[in-house]
């Protein structure tokens, strides 16, 4: 344990040095004299104290020389200028963030009056691809190693309430970000080739998961398997945060520690513990995992510590593992003192320590406790044993990491432990099955979608558990600055309790190779009755799983109703139509691809990966941008969109990207013209009422007034979808005596002041008005004057807004209407 104490003294010294700053030389001279005196007195205890003092002094010296975080002078000067022009290389894996792409940019130079000037620095960039990039490349348009010229402004990261994002980025060497710059692609292929290959593999696996799994399962699998969390829905991310289970989706030391423990259990069950060969599988797993995550620094650190943990298990000595972990942590901190401030490093170390010191005790104690009350054998016994061991691993890791989570994020969740215990057992199943889906899907979409049947239940279980616990009120228990003393007291109490337990029971429950418990296995030869009982149990379990699957499939089968859902996509519009003949039509896609695929994933059967018809009413970003990600997830058979009246001004990049994607998928969009009618089944038709063959006013400048207007008819019931038309187009339709009368209407232009004129509303005479608008949007939609106009024709309780009630679904059998809202 001496090396553990020395390593601890080194780390404490580094922490003290970083807080105290540069110390005067007399301090070190006096400390040196103390060291010399200690070495002269050659007694073992004094020599140990000398080593401790030496480690402390070395740590103080190293910590005090750590440079203060701060931006480079060149970057500060550039940040004070406007419309700067810089060049550099994409330095990591570009991740989609809504309609933009985020990446780290290795700055190499900037344009000055005398020409290009070399410099260096790291920036965070969020941008859209330029039009030439869309023309020349296939998605994804941004790739690791791309050389870019950017023009825009440098801004400091915003300060967030519950997370100091600015300080977090500063510790990564990032002090400025660039939002929506003008982009010029100058070539690719820069960077490390091996890392570029890893990123390409990661990209293919992520795309395969997206094509094979519905949302939010696809995003959850991408986060847990590949560390790609950018597409995870905000609501689900918040649920994980509220329940204190973010560690299940954040690939860090905590995540790796839990996985290594569980994979070790599974490996031991398959290979047995003789010869310690079962250590090989988790060792390969953890480093393969590091490769899949693109050698993320937190994961690499966790992989190193996990390897040391496994080495200790191989040797059968917990104390050797603790010593190795302590030395590794001390060396890492010596090389980079800033690691002490990184939450991922803190969680990595304490999670591994928890597995080493507490894991065996909880595992053995749990098995002994269960054996007092239940003595199963065979398959049931194996399941019980796995659940007990998995719960022990969870408890060990959570007890050692929760205080650090509370200290760094200022809150704790009282449901973190039960939520983790219920969700954790499916984590290995999620990872293994997700990897199988991702790998198979890169070769065959059909194969990936078939294997997805084996992944979807585990993802649904995990999201279901988290959402159920997220409903519990009072989930966040906030802690203040005084919590630091409680944290120190907690860890001191934990260590003292463990020390006392070892002194009281020196030979019990302390080996990593724990004894098998006869009460949890069948020691005698199985009898025919036992075998039949086991087979019957397995058979009944399979029948139950099959029955649940059949019930689910039957519950989502179509009936004779037509379903129209105004999706909750924020400040934009997207409408899903599902016919009794299982046809799926999507009108517009809203402003964000991730929001659209999430809405579709929650409303379409998980095995459905196609959309029969997409209608684009006009190319404004709040109707089009979401569609740019649709073709990456779903097969689209037909597209109808605005023609000569399309005005792409202000959103040309998205429209060109959409057209390029259509071309790569072999789709030729049809131009929507008044009079066109699409048959969707018996007694169901979709009629185009607008725009006319020639754009209104003879020009395409007014894109809103040339939006596509549709009328959906089923028996005696009709729906009117109005796009973003304004008063001019409304008046034109009324003068043309268009068949506007409809039972349900979507309010034109999100209920803006420039639409929903009294004459138009009177001509439609709707029973129900649906408005798609985002909460607290900057346009003020829907406008109070518009709501007042609508109230003169439709009762107030029959005007529904997505920002208030969420997604709105209207069902009809051709004679009656049924209304359902999400909230």
């Amino acid at each position: 344990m001496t090396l553990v104490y020395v390593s601890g003294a080194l780390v404490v010294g580094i922490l003290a040095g970083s807080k105290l700053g540069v110390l005067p030389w007399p301090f070190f001279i006096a400390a040196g004299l103390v060291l010399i005196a200690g070495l002269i007195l050659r007694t073992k205890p004094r020599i140990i104290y000398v080593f401790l003092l030496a480690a402390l002094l070395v740590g103080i010296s190293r910590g005090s020389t750590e440079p203060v975080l701060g931006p480079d002078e060149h970057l500060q000067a550039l940040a004070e200028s406007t419309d700067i022009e810089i060049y550099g290389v994409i330095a990591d894996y570009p991740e989609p963030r809504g309609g933009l792409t985020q990446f780290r940019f290795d700055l190499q130079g900037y344009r000055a009056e005398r020409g290009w000037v070399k410099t260096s620095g790291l920036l965070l960039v969020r941008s859209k691809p330029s039009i030439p990039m869309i023309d020349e490349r296939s998605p994804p348009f941004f790739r690791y190693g791309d050389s870019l010229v950017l023009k825009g402004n440098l801004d400091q990261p915003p300060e967030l309430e519950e997370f100091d994002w600015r300080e977090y980025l500063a510790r990564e060497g990032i002090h400025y970000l660039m939002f929506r710059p003008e982009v010029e692609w100058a070539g690719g292929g820069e960077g490390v080739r091996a890392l570029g290959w890893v990123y390409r593999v990661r990209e293919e696996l992520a795309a395969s998961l997206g094509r094979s799994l519905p949302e939010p399962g696809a995003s959850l699998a991408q986060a847990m398997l590949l560390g790609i969390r950018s597409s995870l829905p905000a609501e689900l991310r918040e649920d994980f945060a509220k329940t204190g289970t973010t560690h299940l989706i954040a690939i860090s030391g905590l995540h790796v520690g839990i996985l290594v423990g569980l994979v070790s259990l599974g490996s031991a069950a398959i290979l047995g513990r003789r010869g310690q060969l079962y250590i090989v599988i988790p060792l390969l797993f953890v480093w393969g995992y590091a490769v899949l995550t693109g050698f993320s620094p937190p994961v690499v650190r966790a992989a190193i510590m996990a390897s040391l943990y496994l080495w200790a298990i191989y040797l059968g000595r917990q104390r050797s593992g603790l010593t190795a972990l302590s030395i590794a942590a001390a060396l890492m901190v010596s090389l980079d003192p800033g690691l002490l401030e990184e939450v991922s490093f803190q969680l990595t170390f304490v999670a591994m320590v928890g597995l080493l010191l507490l894991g065996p005790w909880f595992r053995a104690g749990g098995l002994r406790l269960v054996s007092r009350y239940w003595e199963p054998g065979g398959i049931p016994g194996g399941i019980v044993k796995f659940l007990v061991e998995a719960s022990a691993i969870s408890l060990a890791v959570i007890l050692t990491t929760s205080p650090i989570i509370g200290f760094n994020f200022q809150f704790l969740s009282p449901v973190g432990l039960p939520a983790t215990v219920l969700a954790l057992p499916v984590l290995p199943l999620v990872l293994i099955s997700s990897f199988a889906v991702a790998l198979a899907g890169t070769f065959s979409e059909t194969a990936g979608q078939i294997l997805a049947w084996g992944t979807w239940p585990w993802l649904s279980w995990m999201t279901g558990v988290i959402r159920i616990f997220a409903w519990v009120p009072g989930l966040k228990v906030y802690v203040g600055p005084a919590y630091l003393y409680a944290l120190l007291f907690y860890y001191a109490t934990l260590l003292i309790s463990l020390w006392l337990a070892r002194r009281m029971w020196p030979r019990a429950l302390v080996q990593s190779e724990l004894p098998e418990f006869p009460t949890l296995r069948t020691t005698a030869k199985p009898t025919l009755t036992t075998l039949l009982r086991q087979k019957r149990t397995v058979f009944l379990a399979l029948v139950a799983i099959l029955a649940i699957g059949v019930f689910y499939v039957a519950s989502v089968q179509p009936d004779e109703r037509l379903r129209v859902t105004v999706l909750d996509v924020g400040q934009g519009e997207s409408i899903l139509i599902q016919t009794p003949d299982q046809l799926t039509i999507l009108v517009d896609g809203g402003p964000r691809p991730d929001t659209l695929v999430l809405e579709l994933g929650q409303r379409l059967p998980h095995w459905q990966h196609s959309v029969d018809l997409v209608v684009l009413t006009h190319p404004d970003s709040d109707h089009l941008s979401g569609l740019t990600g649709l073709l990456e997830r779903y097969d689209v058979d037909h597209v109808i969109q605005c023609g000569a009246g399309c005005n792409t001004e202000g959103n040309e990049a998205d429209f060109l990207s959409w057209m390029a994607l259509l071309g790569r998928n072999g789709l030729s969009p049809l131009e929507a013209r008044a009079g066109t009618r699409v048959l969707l089944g018996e007694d169901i038709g979709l009629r185009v009422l607008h725009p006319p063959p020639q754009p209104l006013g003879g020009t395409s400048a007014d894109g809103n007034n040339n939006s596509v207007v549709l009328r959906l008819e089923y028996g005696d019931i009709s729906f009117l979808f109005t796009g973003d038309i304004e008063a001019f187009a409304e008046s034109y339709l009324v003068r043309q005596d268009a068949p506007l009368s409809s039972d349900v209407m979507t309010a034109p232009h999100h209920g803006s002041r420039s639409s929903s004129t009294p004459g138009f509303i009177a001509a439609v005479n709707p029973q129900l008005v649906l408005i798609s608008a985002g909460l607290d949007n900057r346009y003020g939609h829907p406008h109070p004057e518009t709501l007042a106009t609508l109230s003169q024709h439709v009762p107030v309780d029959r005007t529904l807004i997505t920002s208030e009630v969420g997604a709105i679904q209207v069902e009809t059998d051709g004679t009656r209407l049924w209304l359902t809202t999400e909230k």
Side-chain angles (χ1 to χ4, degrees):
M1 295 293 289
T2 302
L3 290 176
V4 174
Y5 299 142
V6 171
S7 299
L10 178 64
V11 172
V12 171
I14 291 174
L15 179 61
S18 64
K19 301 300 182 183
L20 296 174
V22 179
L23 298 178
W25 281 108
F27 170 84
F28 290 100
I29 293 173
L33 293 175
V34 174
L35 285 176
I36 294 172
L39 291 173
I40 293 174
L41 301 173
R42 289 179 171 274
T43 59
K44 186 177 180 181
R46 288 191 178 95
I47 291 177
I48 292 175
Y49 297 145
V50 166
F51 279 123
L52 290 176
L53 180 58
L56 184 66
L57 291 174
V58 170
I60 291 174
S61 175
R62 180 69 182 95
S64 63
T65 57
E66 178 69 4
V68 179
L69 294 174
D72 184 87
E73 293 181 1
H74 292 288
L75 285 179
Q76 286 182 316
L78 288 173
E80 294 173 359
S81 305
T82 59
D83 290 331
I84 62 171
E85 195 169 355
I86 60 177
Y87 74 88
V89 176
I90 296 179
D92 71 344
Y93 179 79
E95 293 189 357
R97 293 292 176 101
L100 304 175
T101 302
Q102 175 175 294
F103 52 85
R104 300 189 181 201
F105 189 69
D106 184 9
L107 177 63
Q108 297 179 346
Y110 64 94
R111 185 185 291 277
E113 293 182 358
R114 61 182 184 274
W116 289 102
V117 178
K118 289 186 177 182
T119 187
S120 61
L122 200 59
L123 305 175
L124 189 68
V125 178
R126 287 184 179 177
S127 180
K128 285 188 175 184
S130 62
I131 294 174
M133 291 177 69
I134 296 172
D135 291 336
E136 297 175 18
R137 315 186 79 181
S138 58
F141 300 110
F142 292 104
R143 300 169 192 170
Y144 168 75
D146 279 353
S147 296
L148 303 177
V149 176
L150 306 179
K151 185 178 181 180
N153 299 322
L154 294 183
D155 299 302
Q156 285 191 320
E159 295 182 353
L160 306 179
E161 291 184 2
E162 295 185 1
F163 178 63
D164 195 342
W165 192 42
R166 181 176 296 180
E167 181 181 355
Y168 170 78
L169 290 177
R171 297 196 177 280
E172 298 289 327
I174 300 174
H175 302 278
Y176 295 101
L177 58 83
M178 186 174 269
F179 185 71
R180 286 181 177 268
E182 297 179 16
V183 180
E184 179 184 342
W185 180 55
E190 301 292 334
V192 181
R193 285 191 177 184
L195 194 56
W197 178 84
V198 168
Y199 284 148
R200 285 194 296 272
V201 171
R202 194 178 182 212
E203 177 186 299
E204 288 294 330
L205 294 176
S208 176
L209 288 171
R211 292 190 299 265
S212 303
L213 290 165
E215 290 294 349
S219 295
L220 187 58
Q222 289 172 351
M224 298 174 68
L225 180 66
L226 305 173
I228 301 174
R229 301 173 60 189
S230 55
S231 58
L232 202 64
E235 182 180 350
L236 184 60
R237 193 194 303 264
E238 177 63 19
D239 287 345
F240 273 98
K242 287 194 299 184
T243 55
T245 53
T246 304
H247 54 272
L248 295 177
I249 55 172
I251 298 182
S252 63
L254 174 60
H255 194 73
V256 172
I258 292 175
L259 292 178
V260 167
L262 292 177
V263 173
S264 298
L265 290 177
S267 177
I270 296 172
L271 299 178
R273 297 180 182 269
R274 291 184 180 180
Q276 306 286 18
L277 289 176
Y278 74 95
I279 297 297
V280 175
I281 290 180
L283 187 63
L284 294 176
F285 171 85
V286 72
W287 284 105
Y289 205 40
V291 171
L292 283 179
T293 59
F295 291 107
S296 169
V299 179
V300 172
R301 292 194 294 265
I304 293 172
M305 292 191 177
S307 300
L308 294 173
Y309 162 76
L310 294 170
W311 177 251
I313 297 299
Y314 176 76
L315 296 176
R317 300 176 62 191
Q318 251 74 27
R319 295 186 180 183
S320 298
L322 183 60
T323 302
L325 284 175
S326 301
I327 295 173
L331 289 176
M332 289 179 184
V333 172
S334 298
L335 295 173
D336 183 7
L339 284 180
L340 279 175
E341 303 291 338
E342 289 193 15
V343 181
S344 64
F345 176 79
Q346 298 167 13
L347 293 178
T348 296
F349 181 73
V350 297
M352 294 302 169
V353 171
L355 285 174
L356 276 170
L357 299 185
L358 300 180
W361 287 73
F362 292 158
R363 173 176 174 259
L367 292 175
R368 286 189 186 280
L369 181 63
V370 171
S371 66
R372 293 180 181 178
Y373 304 100
W374 197 31
E375 300 182 4
I379 294 176
I383 294 174
V384 171
K385 185 177 179 181
F386 174 79
L387 291 177
V388 170
E389 292 176 330
S391 299
I393 289 172
S394 304
L395 183 61
V397 174
I398 291 172
L399 284 178
T400 51
T401 56
S402 293
I404 291 180
I405 293 174
F407 178 71
N408 285 280
F409 297 100
Q410 284 77 55
F411 81 90
L412 290 171
S413 174
V415 301
L417 179 58
T420 299
V421 169
L422 288 176
L424 187 63
V426 304
L427 184 59
L429 299 173
V430 167
L431 291 173
I432 294 170
S433 59
S434 295
F435 180 71
V437 170
L439 189 61
T442 57
F443 298 100
S444 168
E445 287 191 23
T446 303
Q449 292 167 5
I450 292 174
L451 290 178
W453 280 82
T455 305
W456 173 76
W458 314 123
L459 290 168
S460 299
W461 170 269
M462 182 169 287
T463 55
V465 166
I466 300 306
R467 282 171 172 168
I468 289 173
F469 278 100
W471 290 340
V472 178
L475 287 180
K476 288 189 176 182
V477 179
Y478 287 92
V479 296
Y483 180 76
L484 174 61
Y485 303 104
L487 181 141
L488 296 175
F489 177 77
Y490 174 90
Y491 281 117
T493 304
L494 194 63
L495 290 174
I496 293 172
S497 301
L498 185 61
W499 179 78
L500 290 174
R502 288 181 179 277
R503 294 295 297 267
M504 296 173 64
W505 301 287
R507 300 184 61 185
L509 308 176
V510 295
Q511 292 109 358
S512 65
E513 181 62 36
L514 295 169
E516 294 291 338
F517 296 94
T519 52
L520 287 178
R521 59 175 182 159
T522 304
T523 56
K525 291 184 178 180
T527 63
L528 179 61
T529 303
T530 304
L531 291 174
L532 290 176
R533 188 175 298 166
Q534 292 179 14
K535 290 182 178 179
R536 183 175 62 183
T537 302
V538 175
F539 176 75
L540 291 175
L542 292 176
V543 169
I545 293 173
L546 181 62
I548 293 173
V550 171
F551 175 78
Y552 169 75
V553 172
S555 66
V556 296
Q557 288 301 307
D559 49 26
E560 294 303 314
R561 292 185 181 181
L562 173 72
R563 290 176 175 81
V564 175
T565 307
V566 178
L567 304 176
D568 185 12
V569 293
Q571 183 53 35
E573 185 169 88
S574 183
I575 302 166
L576 175 66
I577 303 170
Q578 297 167 281
T579 74
D581 293 332
Q582 304 184 50
L583 294 180
T584 302
I585 299 94
L586 186 67
V587 181
D588 291 333
R592 293 172 58 100
D594 53 346
T595 304
L596 175 64
V597 295
L598 174 63
E599 288 287 312
L600 294 179
Q602 293 176 333
R603 286 164 179 81
L604 298 177
H606 81 271
W607 62 81
Q608 182 172 341
H609 302 278
S610 62
V611 175
D612 297 285
L613 173 64
V614 170
V615 180
L616 174 62
T617 61
H618 64 296
D620 282 2
S621 60
D622 58 338
H623 292 249
L624 167 63
S625 295
L627 293 177
T628 58
L630 180 72
L631 295 177
E632 299 176 8
R633 301 291 190 95
Y634 291 87
D635 296 324
V636 176
D637 293 333
H638 303 283
V639 175
I640 297 176
Q641 64 185 32
C642 56
C646 278
N647 178 19
T648 62
E649 184 178 351
N651 198 37
E652 188 177 2
D654 272 355
F655 185 72
L656 290 178
S657 178
W658 166 247
M659 294 299 293
L661 287 169
L662 291 179
R664 293 186 184 102
N665 284 271
L667 292 170
S668 299
L670 302 175
E671 182 177 338
R673 292 187 179 183
T676 302
R677 193 166 188 267
V678 180
L679 295 177
L680 303 176
E682 185 177 353
D683 206 24
I684 302 178
L686 188 65
R687 184 184 302 183
V688 179
L689 304 184
H690 190 74
Q694 295 297 323
L696 289 187
T699 175
S700 62
D702 192 350
N704 282 350
N705 279 315
N706 285 287
S707 294
V708 177
V709 177
L710 303 170
R711 188 172 189 263
L712 177 65
E713 304 157 348
Y714 181 31
D716 298 330
I717 302 297
S718 57
F719 299 77
L720 188 68
F721 309 126
T722 56
D724 273 4
I725 60 171
E726 300 182 358
F728 183 68
E730 292 177 355
S731 175
Y732 171 82
L733 286 168
V734 172
R735 292 197 310 271
Q736 294 295 314
D737 199 22
L740 297 174
S741 177
S742 300
D743 301 280
V744 182
M745 179 189 78
T746 61
H749 201 190
H750 319 285
S752 73
R753 188 179 183 181
S754 60
S755 303
S756 300
T757 54
F760 181 76
I761 303 302
V764 178
N765 191 28
Q767 302 179 35
L768 188 65
V769 176
L770 313 179
I771 304 177
S772 181
L775 183 65
D776 299 326
N777 63 85
R778 61 193 178 100
Y779 305 102
H781 294 162
H783 197 276
E785 290 185 12
T786 300
L787 294 176
T789 301
L790 291 172
S791 66
Q792 297 175 8
H793 301 270
V794 183
V796 175
D797 60 349
R798 292 188 182 180
T799 299
L800 304 178
I801 310 169
T802 57
S803 60
E804 297 178 356
V805 300
I808 309 167
Q809 179 174 281
V810 181
E811 300 178 63
T812 179
D813 58 1
T815 57
R816 294 171 295 175
L817 293 172
W818 290 268
L819 175 67
T820 306
T821 60
E822 191 174 21
K823 300 177 184 178

